[in-house]
Amino acid sequence: MINVNHTIFHPAVFVLLGIPGLERYHMWLSIPLCFIYASAVLGNSVLILVIVTERSLHEPMYMFLSMLAGTDILLSTTTVPKALAIFWFCARNITFDACVTQVFFVHVMFVGESAILLAMAFDRYVAICDPLRYSVILTLPVVGRMALAIVVRSFCIIFPVIFLLKRLPFCRTNVIPHSYCEHIGVARLACADITVNIWYGFSVPIVMVITDVLLIAVSYTLILRAIFRMPSQDARHKALSTCGSHLCVILMFYVPSFFTLLTHRFGRNIPRHIHIILANLYVVVPPMLNPIVYGVKTKQIREAVAHFFMGIKKCFSSSSLD
């Protein structure tokens, strides 16, 4: 029997390199990243405030939209501030527990956002295919239970990842060539078999997301069939406009995510820094664009946002007069 003498190393900290190969451009790359992140947080925060304060928007469609906005804020905030700290202050160290926490929240937000988009597709299906029973089917308690189910499902799917990482011994290096921690990237630093991590990390979340995509596709097949059966052209146009913003958000979420996944899995000839730039853009660009899409395409939100800012302007005017 051969004795292999390993010194098991559980690192107190990991070292995040940011974007390896582009260190000299970190400061320049941080400028658009910071701008996009600030726009995403501001836009989604305004959207949540408007939906909460405007009683006319207390409907299932807008409640799901506020959940989507909250998820976008959490997703970008989990990753971008640390990336900016690396670019600006060379603050590359992250504790092991903080790294695992970041892994958990990144993946929970991804799975959760997919489930929210599925819930929004179901909302549009009921609104268009069974409008007379819309208020009966999607009551506030039902929406609350759906929100709870989304949270519980996302938590249960990703929670085992914590134990899959914590069971691994790390005796090689503590350097992560990325700007934030992600499951497989951390697992590859271990000096142990990570087959379970690879299978679980790729298969379980991806299967759930693909299931969501298929159910969304079924919903919109039924929705489009119902729309094109409407006798009035105005009714068809109105129904299509209510679904247009949701379809744009779906495409902005799933197309970059699957593109990033496929390039990471099969694009072995693509430079590593391209993978990392795409990963950073994925967590900020869709969150920035979602409020813009809904603001442009949804008349009720445009009017509510205008009313919200008019109210703020009046408050400032009255306070300055006092």
Side-chain angles (χ1 to χ4, degrees), residues 9 11-16 93 170 172-176 189:
F9 174 51
V13 296
F14 284 113
V15 178
L16 293 166
N93 289 354
F170 295 88
R172 293 174 184 165
T173 179
N174 64 337
V175 177
I176 301 175
L189 301 181

Side-chain angles (χ1 to χ4, degrees), residues 12-32:
V13 296
F14 284 113
V15 178
L16 293 166
L17 295 183
I19 306 177
L22 297 181
E23 287 85 358
R24 72 178 76 173
Y25 302 111
H26 274 181
M27 186 60 69
W28 294 105
L29 291 169
S30 70
I31 296 171

